[in-house]
Amino acid sequence: MATQHHNALTRALAGLPGPLPPSGVVHVAIPHTSRFTIVGNHLAQHAELSLVAIGIGVHIQSMPTGSEVGIKALASRFTEGETTIAAALRELEAHGYLSRTRVRLANGRLVTRTVFCNQPGAALRDGTVVTPVPLVAPAPVPAPLVTPAAVPVVAAPAPAPSPSPSPEPTPVPEESHPPVRVPSRTAPKAARRPLPRPRELTPELRQTASAILAGLRSHAKELVLSEDDVEALVPGVAAWLERDAHPDTIRHALTTELPQPPKHPAKIVKHRLTVLLPPPLPGAHELAPVRRTLVIPLQNCDGCDRAFRATAPGHCRGCRNEPTATAA
């Protein structure tokens, strides 16, 4: 098969008119009759997009409307990882090729609606609203096998004169339009929390924290930290020890359910020391029982039927003092 393919290219090169360039690519352009996509040079030769972003943009443009083009779907289709694909999609969003918004369906479910624009610069210059259209290739049409002599030459009909002809616009080369930068529609990322630090990094805390970090590889062979990593992560472990966390508890939090394979062990340890930091143990005054206020119930007086507060039924103060006033 390789020899036949090579011979076919050789015959195609022999049929090209004019001399071939001494170096560089030589295009053998064969017209497509089915399954093709028109891609602009503003995307294929974009000066600020990465090669992964250009390839993903061309792939999304070739897919029909309704196809799954999320990070998970693209990662299952190509060999690039989810991080690389997510970065490429953000590049396409920043340059206006891609738009991802969260919409709610009629049944109440939230979905991500992805819109791809094949000419974002033209849409912004003209001020028009881009409507998503189905990107479906036309049905294959069998080409008739005819010789060049059998093709009749038909003269194009002359255009009908218009009452008020307007001058044709002068074509502007594509290079004169600089790429339009569109701000990203994604929410800004929250700032990362700093590594916790103890109130006072004593020599005892430093020594214990260094021993815990250096011995992590004995419990998880993936967590091999350098001396610089241990020195930088010592304050985080010291903060845990200051809050009365047992060394076994710290090792369990740092070595359980690690991602496979862990590419950056120091970053994983720093993230877990920051996010999983336990609160300080409560003191004796915080564990004291809460004092409850005694509420005296209402009673109806047996003499005047007035309401008064007392622990047991009986007479109100006025009825109790009435015999004393009568005697006086």
Side-chain angles (χ1 to χ4, degrees):
M1 294 298 292
T3 305
Q4 294 178 1
H5 182 66
H6 177 72
N7 293 338
L9 289 181
T10 304
R11 290 194 300 270
L13 289 176
L16 292 179
L20 296 179
S23 61
V25 64
V26 177
H27 293 281
V28 178
I30 303 175
H32 291 279
T33 59
S34 63
R35 296 184 56 82
F36 63 91
T37 302
I38 300 177
V39 180
N41 286 340
H42 54 85
L43 174 60
Q45 301 178 3
H46 204 288
E48 299 182 11
L49 287 177
S50 63
L51 191 58
V52 178
I54 294 175
I56 291 180
V58 173
H59 174 73
I60 294 177
Q61 188 171 343
S62 67
M63 299 297 292
T65 298
S67 301
E68 296 293 336
V69 291
I71 298 176
K72 297 289 186 183
L74 294 175
S76 63
R77 169 66 176 78
F78 299 101
T79 58
E80 284 74 11
E82 295 184 4
T83 304
T84 304
I85 292 177
L89 292 178
R90 287 195 296 268
E91 290 184 48
L92 293 174
E93 278 186 316
H95 290 83
Y97 289 96
L98 195 68
S99 171
R100 292 179 290 183
T101 54
R102 299 283 289 176
V103 296
R104 188 179 297 275
L105 301 180
N107 58 2
R109 188 167 63 95
L110 282 174
V111 297
T112 299
R113 174 164 294 169
T114 304
V115 178
F116 188 88
C117 180
N118 64 337
Q119 296 190 53
L124 293 178
R125 287 194 301 270
D126 300 339
T128 57
V129 179
V130 179
T131 304
V133 295
L135 299 178
V136 181
V141 178
L145 299 177
V146 295
T147 59
V151 177
V153 179
V154 181
S162 58
S164 56
S166 57
E168 296 183 359
T170 305
V172 182
E174 184 180 354
E175 290 75 9
S176 63
H177 300 289
V180 180
R181 291 184 176 273
V182 180
S184 176
R185 294 185 178 90
T186 57
K189 293 184 179 180
R192 294 185 178 180
R193 296 166 54 184
L195 184 71
R197 304 186 68 87
R199 291 190 298 269
E200 182 182 359
L201 187 58
T202 61
E204 293 79 7
L205 285 178
R206 178 182 291 275
Q207 181 179 359
T208 306
S210 300
I212 293 174
L213 291 171
L216 288 180
R217 64 176 181 267
S218 300
H219 302 270
K221 60 181 181 180
E222 300 89 351
L223 296 182
V224 179
L225 303 176
S226 64
E227 293 184 356
D228 294 339
D229 294 336
V230 171
E231 185 66 24
L233 297 173
V234 158
V237 180
W240 283 58
L241 295 172
E242 190 181 54
R243 299 190 178 191
D244 296 331
H246 196 271
D248 293 338
T249 304
I250 301 176
R251 295 189 190 97
H252 184 269
L254 298 180
T255 59
T256 305
E257 297 182 358
L258 293 174
Q260 296 298 331
K263 298 181 179 180
H264 305 285
K267 293 183 179 180
I268 296 175
V269 174
K270 179 180 178 181
H271 175 74
R272 294 193 173 189
L273 289 175
T274 305
V275 176
L276 303 180
L277 178 67
L281 291 177
H285 62 284
E286 297 173 350
L287 298 177
V290 180
R291 296 182 179 180
R292 297 182 179 180
T293 304
L294 179 62
V295 179
I296 302 176
L298 289 173
Q299 307 289 345
N300 288 336
C301 178
D302 296 340
C304 62
D305 201 25
R306 291 181 179 179
F308 68 98
R309 292 190 179 275
T311 56
H315 292 82
C316 63
R317 184 180 301 177
C319 293
R320 289 197 303 269
N321 296 337
E322 183 176 356
T324 303
T326 304

